[in-house]
Amino acid sequence: MANKQTAGHDQLGAFAPQFAHFNDDVLFGEVWADEDSLSPRDRSFLTVTALITKGAFEQLPYHLRVAKQNGITQPEIAAMITQLAFYVGWPNAWSAFNLAKEIWAD
């Protein structure tokens, strides 16, 4: 990730400073920045899969945009969500498709 993540500090810094630190400085500042272990594209593929699996649709739009920026194509995201539908549920797939469709329409 090229830009420093500040969402944790911006949205939760005053309320939950330790969580904000872990989000911005550890998760995004260290884990996501470690391109020697996983490429940003692979990390996005895994993260989007995990969010769909958990039904974490509030966080999914951000990570779908990042996935698109990291090179995941519309046919790939469609194939990913279709594959997941059989393992994590049809409703999760529908919800993910509705979000992905908006992001890949841009």
Side-chain angles (χ1 to χ4, degrees), residues 30-69:
E30 294 179 25
V31 176
W32 270 88
D34 180 10
E35 294 183 22
D36 293 333
S37 298
L38 286 173
S39 70
R41 186 182 190 286
D42 290 346
R43 210 171 287 282
S44 282
F45 207 93
L46 290 166
T47 301
V48 168
T49 298
L51 293 173
I52 293 169
T53 300
K54 289 191 64 61
F57 298 110
E58 185 176 340
Q59 291 77 24
L60 191 56
Y62 169 81
H63 283 285
L64 286 170
R65 284 190 292 279
V66 170
K68 184 178 178 184
Q69 292 168 2

